[in-house]
Amino acid sequence: MKAPRPRPGRPRGGVRWIAATLLAAAVALAAPPADERATAWHDLAASQAAAALVRFRTLESAEPARADEARIGQATALLLVQPRTASNLNAARALARRVAEEGEIAWIPAGRYLLARIAEFHTSPADYPEARRQYRILSDIHGATELGQIALTKLAILDMREPAPADERERRYTGLVALEVRLTDPAARRDFHLALADGCLREGLGEERALRHSLLAEAAGIVHPGRRASVILRIAELSRRLGRPEEARRHYRRFLDLVGDRDNRALLVRERLNTLGVEATP
Amino acid sequence: VKGRGLLLTALVLVAGVFAVAAWRIAARTRLEHAPGSRVVRFAHTQLEAGIREAFAAAAREYMALHPGVVVEQIAIPRRVWDSWMRTQLIGGTAPDLLQLVNNDPNPLPRFFVPADEWMEAPNPYNAGTPLEGIPWQNTFIAPLLEPPSYWPVYLHYYGVPTTLFTMRLYYNRALLREITGSDEVPATFEEFLALCERVRSWSAGRPRPVYAIAAAKPVPPNDVLIHRLLRSMTQTLVEPVDATLSLSGGGGAGGDLRTFAREAAFRGVWDLRTPQIQAGLRLVREVGQHFQPAFLQADRDQALFYFLQGRALMIMSGSWEFGSIVAQAPFPVDVFRLPEPDRRHPDYGRFSLGETSEANIGMRGAFALTRTSRHPEVAMDFLRFLTSQAAHGRFAARSGWLPVVRGVPPPEVVRGFAPVTGGYPEGFSWTVGVETVRINENTLHLLFGSGDGVERFTAEIEPQFRGALVRDELKEVRESVNALTAFDARLLADEALRRTGGTGLFSETRRSELLESQTSGELGFLLSRTLLRQESSP
């Protein structure tokens, strides 16, 4: 007995089953495994930009719900890939802009952040006004997010470092000080004050101000012991120069307690302490 | 018949050599593939006498404690190390542990495993010692804050250090006694120069002249002596160049004096005519008069040969070479620290603060775990053993290397290398980057030449100086962009991984440190850019 010929356009049950299986397999193959996302980010963190880029591109098409995350990953990878090219830079900017302007709310800060970084560090010549604009939007609209807090620090660094006439520098400084109340994250607060302290010292904005910002930065918590030691020493030096020997002594001692003999400045600091002791004796 | 006999002999010889080679390879393979054995290999570039033996002894001790484990060392000459290491890493055939020789950050994240997890746990081999229960990272003589151990740029520990390297003047004790009638070494710069003069007068008229100091062309890494002298004269410039008011920064994350000095040169705080820089050049020229003739054409091996032949009384070298030099020298060898002019010196004293401190010298001889290691736990366990109090003491005694583990005293023979932790911050050399180093190398012959060498040298360098400074700063800027972008990548990766409930890349503290390092790098980068812009504006 001959098997009935299947009618065109209506596959037999077995064929349908095979087709469904193949389709399911294809979808399974196309959809990245659960840890593919994590692998892509880990690649990026390990500076394996080319590998990360491929993974993020796959993720963008395979998981539309997470396309914005994949776009941020791609944009970051494009900035890292060597050699750096104009087309990679333009592609990174376009991806970041798409997320910043049309993306889901969770990824908009990352898009803004990347746009600022591209303008500040990757564009030649640097587009500081655009970087400043993006940081402002980020801190004004997304100020409660971590990147929104970081944006305040980046604004401080940029305003302190970009050359400007003395009156403009003073105006910028005053504007930055007004932002202090918005710093809720300790790390951002620390870095904000580190930037301001550095700016005050280098740009002649005053040692009193430099001391205040150094104290605030240190109070917010400096993590690296070497950096902490240098900031404590700066506080001591500024206190001494500003005629506050008691404060100076206290911070010189804190420095010595922190570094012991394992710092080439220890002897110099002990001499400073001795001199202060003599000066303090009537 | 004679020809056939020769041919037969040659064939037998070749066959014999082949058989021996085959047996050795087979024996090695058998060792590696013994059932159940776990083979761990570590590679280094310390071919100096005694070092391989000390590592081998440590490996034997470890294997005796751990049957079934085989620890092998691979010693690679320094000249081929970089290419060899790159080939091994890219080919996926790298040994389990590799020495981090030149503090190059680039291969670390891709090819090496962070050691954080092990570093945070106590070293079990310290059981029963005062270091019992203390996290491994805190069992070293100083906190591990900088490369090659801790890498602030990655926020990870990678290298486990095994020693400290210091530089000293090696001297021929027998020759010193013959020349001076005493074993006394100079304690001050004046005494040092007097000794050099004494050598000159003693040598005059002898058939084979003897010189005070054997030197190679003072280019990196053979330029330590002249840079010590140059830096001793800029100690009083440290405060004026350090805009951060941190008394030179202390190095690493605390602040880098060379960076401060470069910035200060742009701002006109110092230049080649600054009295401290001129004093340094005069000092180098004065000491250079006691080097052997034509030292500017000599390489390191030739200079060492001079010393080993007894044709020079002293040579500057590092603690890592002590075993080799002692083994090769047919005379007793000892070391002393180069005395620098202090505040009492009638000419140079006004530029000096005093003896330079070595408190910030970084640890060396560090090994890192490769990603391709088949037995990472065993490899790291071997390093824990090597840096445990008891085993490290034996290793230091055998190798003649300075120990880096708390409570392990330096062996008597290398006491002279122990870092001087008193003293003042070192100054800086006027060569503040690769371009300034290059013009220095090309012009040094004038400094040591006839006439007013200091003036001829200064006049030749002066017109090139700012251009070289700009190129050095540009190099910093180029490298910084990549570093800052990598910081951003890690920042965003950490956030993305945490956002979806996964494990982030860093703990809260490390993430905070990431931001702190980024801020520091960014301030430096934008400062460089500003300086370059100001330099190029009319």
Side-chain angles (χ1 to χ4, degrees), chain A residues 22-25 35 46 52 57 65 76 80 85 99 106 112 126 132-134 157 175 177 190 205 230-231 243 255:
Chain A
L22 284 174
L23 182 65
D35 62 350
R57 278 183 177 147
T76 314
L80 271 176
T85 63
V99 176
R112 290 270 169 227
R132 196 174 273 113
R133 193 177 74 85
Q134 295 295 346
I157 295 172
V177 170
R190 171 201 61 211
L205 289 167
S230 283
V231 172
F255 171 82

Side-chain angles (χ1 to χ4, degrees), chain B residues 62 65-66 117-137 139 377-378 380-391:
Chain B
Y62 183 78
L65 286 175
H66 300 278
E117 205 178 300
W118 289 281
M119 280 291 184
E120 284 159 15
N123 181 345
Y125 296 100
N126 280 329
T129 75
L131 301 181
E132 179 173 358
I134 296 175
W136 190 15
Q137 67 201 26
T139 63
E377 282 299 333
V378 181
M380 292 306 288
D381 195 55
F382 173 63
L383 290 180
R384 287 195 293 212
F385 174 75
L386 185 61
T387 55
S388 63
Q389 214 175 49

Side-chain angles (χ1 to χ4, degrees), chain B residues 448-469:
Chain B
F448 298 104
S450 57
D452 187 348
V454 172
E455 176 53 34
R456 291 178 65 201
F457 178 84
T458 308
E460 180 71 18
I461 297 271
E462 227 171 0
Q464 310 171 57
F465 181 59
R466 285 202 87 83
L469 209 55

Side-chain angles (χ1 to χ4, degrees), chain B residues 204-514:
Chain B
R206 286 178 185 265
R208 199 180 72 154
V210 171
Y211 299 95
I213 304 163
K217 183 176 183 180
V219 296
N222 303 320
D223 52 357
V224 175
L225 177 55
I226 73 158
H227 284 294
R228 277 276 164 86
L229 296 169
L230 288 170
R231 287 173 188 152
S232 72
M233 291 291 93
T234 52
Q235 284 180 308
T236 51
L237 271 182
V238 165
E239 286 192 58
V241 304
D242 177 7
T244 70
L245 296 186
S246 61
L247 302 179
S248 85
D256 173 30
L257 182 59
R258 194 166 76 150
T259 309
F260 297 158
R262 206 172 45 241
E263 179 204 343
F266 273 104
R267 293 188 188 274
V269 176
W270 65 274
D271 60 25
L272 288 168
R273 297 280 176 192
T274 300
Q276 287 92 334
I277 304 292
Q278 287 286 299
L281 294 172
R282 274 191 285 119
L283 188 59
V284 168
R285 181 178 159 84
E286 191 169 355
V287 173
Q289 304 305 312
H290 298 284
F291 296 168
Q292 83 277 18
F295 71 92
L296 285 173
Q297 278 78 50
D299 63 21
R300 166 79 192 143
D301 290 344
Q302 289 167 316
L304 187 58
F305 199 50
Y306 245 86
F307 177 71
L308 294 173
Q309 282 188 321
R311 297 169 68 192
L313 176 65
M314 298 172 274
I315 188 169
M316 190 81 164
S317 194
S319 54
W320 65 92
E321 272 203 308
F322 186 69
S324 275
I325 291 180
V326 166
Q328 291 177 75
F331 46 77
V333 172
D334 212 335
V335 300
F336 66 96
R337 194 164 185 240
L338 171 71
E340 296 151 357
D342 61 21
R343 292 187 208 195
R344 289 165 299 179
H345 193 281
D347 181 8
Y348 301 116
R350 62 205 153 113
F351 306 120
S352 169
L353 293 179
E355 185 178 42
T356 303
S357 169
E358 293 176 317
N360 293 49
I361 283 179
M363 296 185 206
R364 289 288 181 267
F367 288 91
L369 179 67
T370 56
R371 286 199 180 274
T372 48
S373 170
R374 290 172 63 195
H375 305 293
E377 282 299 333
V378 181
M380 292 306 288
D381 195 55
F382 173 63
L383 290 180
R384 287 195 293 212
F385 174 75
L386 185 61
T387 55
S388 63
Q389 214 175 49
H392 194 64
R394 293 191 294 275
F395 174 74
R398 289 180 185 125
S399 63
W401 271 8
L402 288 169
V404 287
V405 173
R406 279 163 55 189
V408 178
E412 189 55 40
V413 289
V414 292
R415 283 268 158 86
F417 288 104
V420 174
T421 52
Y424 297 89
E426 194 174 35
F428 59 90
S429 165
W430 69 271
T431 52
V432 288
V434 289
E435 283 297 321
T436 38
V437 165
R438 191 182 60 75
I439 59 171
N440 177 54
E441 284 175 27
N442 294 343
T443 320
L444 266 174
H445 62 281
L446 294 176
L447 181 63
F448 298 104
S450 57
D452 187 348
V454 172
E455 176 53 34
R456 291 178 65 201
F457 178 84
T458 308
E460 180 71 18
I461 297 271
E462 227 171 0
Q464 310 171 57
F465 181 59
R466 285 202 87 83
L469 209 55
V470 167
R471 290 192 294 279
D472 279 337
E473 202 65 39
L474 278 170
K475 184 173 175 291
E476 291 291 318
V477 165
R478 275 195 299 273
E479 288 172 0
S480 296
V481 170
N482 295 335
L484 291 174
T485 311
F487 270 124
D488 278 338
R490 287 195 285 277
L491 178 72
L492 292 171
D494 184 54
E495 184 169 318
L497 289 167
R498 284 187 303 150
R499 178 176 293 174
T500 45
T503 310
L505 292 171
F506 309 112
S507 65
E508 281 302 317
T509 306
R510 284 277 182 264
R511 184 174 169 84
S512 180
E513 189 183 342
L514 171 83

